[in-house]
């Protein structure tokens, strides 16, 4: 992959109702030299579109390559500058030879279903699992990761302890605002943000809506275009298209206001016994109430025989 067009083509052909990976080849130097790896996300707060976790990694002694690309926190860069940096990361010889990257695109549908299922997964859990899976994936691909830097989700101390338990041989640093402190996290931030931006630009509505990204805005609840989309694109029975995180309060409130109220039957709990259902062993137990005990026939007494119960 060496252009944004190729990135868009890749995103367009994927199923946007699930989560999926995208990653570079592991540079040869990263397979032998000790590397540092950064982790960051984009799209945690929006009510529309995927959340994307990105990682970037390079040899510890090649941090100058990151600085030469201009890696900084993606939130303080313009969209054009972010695109430019990612294209350079994909095409410049020095960058291609020293920097690897990967991203996990987590669909709105996956996020909301995780938060609503019986064994609920909070957004923090979804985020941590994604970061862990990405680190594991590049290690499995052959990258020699020795240091990991992560922009925190929740209390940094707990997150760092969890990652240290999972990756005991790797130096782990979890910090607030890591994307503005460590260039390798800034590179990961750019991978995540650009991937999310282009995932929205090529979003395919499986519901048949003829809309493009200019008609639903940034996806953040405060965006007027996003508010209009949330208000207008609601089916009274089926709710929202897959672009919407229906577990977000913005969408939930609109569903309560405009959608038809549904009552679902209570799901049977397999661990709870029904009062109408008898246990199987009751069919073999003796019924003593109102039944006279029969006297043993003398045949048995004379021969000192007893009756055995085959079910005991």
């Amino acid at each position: 992959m060496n252009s944004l067009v190729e990135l868009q083509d890749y995103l367009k052909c994927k199923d946007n109702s699930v989560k999926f990976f995208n990653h570079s080849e592991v540079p040869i130097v990263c397979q032998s030299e000790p590397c540092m790896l950064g982790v960051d996300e984009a799209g945690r707060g929006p009510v529309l579109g995927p959340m994307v976790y990105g990682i970037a990694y390079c040899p510890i002694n090649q941090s100058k390559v990151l600085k030469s690309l201009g890696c900084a926190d993606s939130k303080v860069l313009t969209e054009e500058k972010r695109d430019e940096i990612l294209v350079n990361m994909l095409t410049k010889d020095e960058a291609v030879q020293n920097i690897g990257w990967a991203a996990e695109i987590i669909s709105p549908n996956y996020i909301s279903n995780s938060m609503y299922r019986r064994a609920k997964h909070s957004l923090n859990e979804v985020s941590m699992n994604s970061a862990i899976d990405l680190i594991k994936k590049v290690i499995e691909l052959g990258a020699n990761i020795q240091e990991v830097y992560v922009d925190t989700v929740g209390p940094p101390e707990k997150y760092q302890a969890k990652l240290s338990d999972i990756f005991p041989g790797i130096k782990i640093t979890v910090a607030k605002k890591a994307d503005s402190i460590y260039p390798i996290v800034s590179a990961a931030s750019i991978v995540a943000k650009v991937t999310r931006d282009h995932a929205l630009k090529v979003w395919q509505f499986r519901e048949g809506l003829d809309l493009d990204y200019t008609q639903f805005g940034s996806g953040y609840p405060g965006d007027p275009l996003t508010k209009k989309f949330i208000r207008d694109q609601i089916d009274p029975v089926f709710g929202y298209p897959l672009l919407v995180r229906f577990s977000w309060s913005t969408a939930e409130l609109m569903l309560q206001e405009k959608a038809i109220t549904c009552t679902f039957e209570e799901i049977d709990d397999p661990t709870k016994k029904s009062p109408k259902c008898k246990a199987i062993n009751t069919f073999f137990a003796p019924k003593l109430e109102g039944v006279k005990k029969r006297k043993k026939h003398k045949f048995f007494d004379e021969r000192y025989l007893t009756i055995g119960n085959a079910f005991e």
Side-chain angles (χ1 to χ4, degrees), residues 84-233:
E84 178 188 328
I85 292 173
L86 185 64
V87 168
N88 288 338
M89 199 183 297
L90 298 173
T91 57
K92 297 287 185 182
D93 287 344
E94 189 179 36
V96 172
Q97 291 167 10
N98 288 283
I99 301 174
W101 57 270
E104 183 176 37
I105 297 87
I106 308 169
S107 73
N109 189 55
Y110 180 89
I111 293 170
S112 293
N113 284 331
S114 296
M115 296 173 73
Y116 271 158
R117 68 187 185 184
R118 271 190 183 210
K120 295 183 186 297
H121 271 52
S122 69
L123 190 61
N124 279 359
E125 290 174 303
V126 172
S127 299
M128 288 181 187
N129 289 341
S130 180
I132 292 164
D133 288 347
L134 281 167
I135 296 169
K136 285 181 177 178
K137 188 169 187 69
V138 296
I139 291 174
E140 289 170 1
L141 289 171
N144 181 19
I145 306 301
Q146 296 298 314
E147 297 178 5
V148 170
Y149 299 88
V150 185
D151 197 32
T152 190
V153 172
E157 300 80 12
K158 289 184 178 180
Y159 195 5
Q160 183 165 314
K162 180 174 182 175
L163 291 174
S164 296
D165 287 342
I166 297 170
F167 305 104
I170 297 175
K171 176 189 171 184
I172 306 291
T173 302
V174 178
K176 294 179 180 179
K177 305 294 183 184
D179 48 358
S180 59
I181 301 172
Y182 305 104
I184 194 66
V185 181
S186 301
S189 175
I190 290 166
V191 169
K193 182 63 175 166
V194 174
T195 299
R196 174 178 153 81
D197 286 347
H198 287 273
L200 288 174
K201 287 182 178 180
V202 297
W203 187 269
Q204 304 289 301
F205 284 98
R206 300 170 69 183
E207 301 81 9
L209 297 177
D210 187 18
L211 298 171
D212 65 32
Y213 73 99
T214 62
Q215 295 172 277
F216 52 74
S218 65
Y220 284 89
D223 186 323
L225 279 175
T226 299
K227 285 182 178 179
K228 185 176 186 304
F229 181 89
I230 291 292
R231 187 171 58 251
D232 295 346
Q233 300 300 327

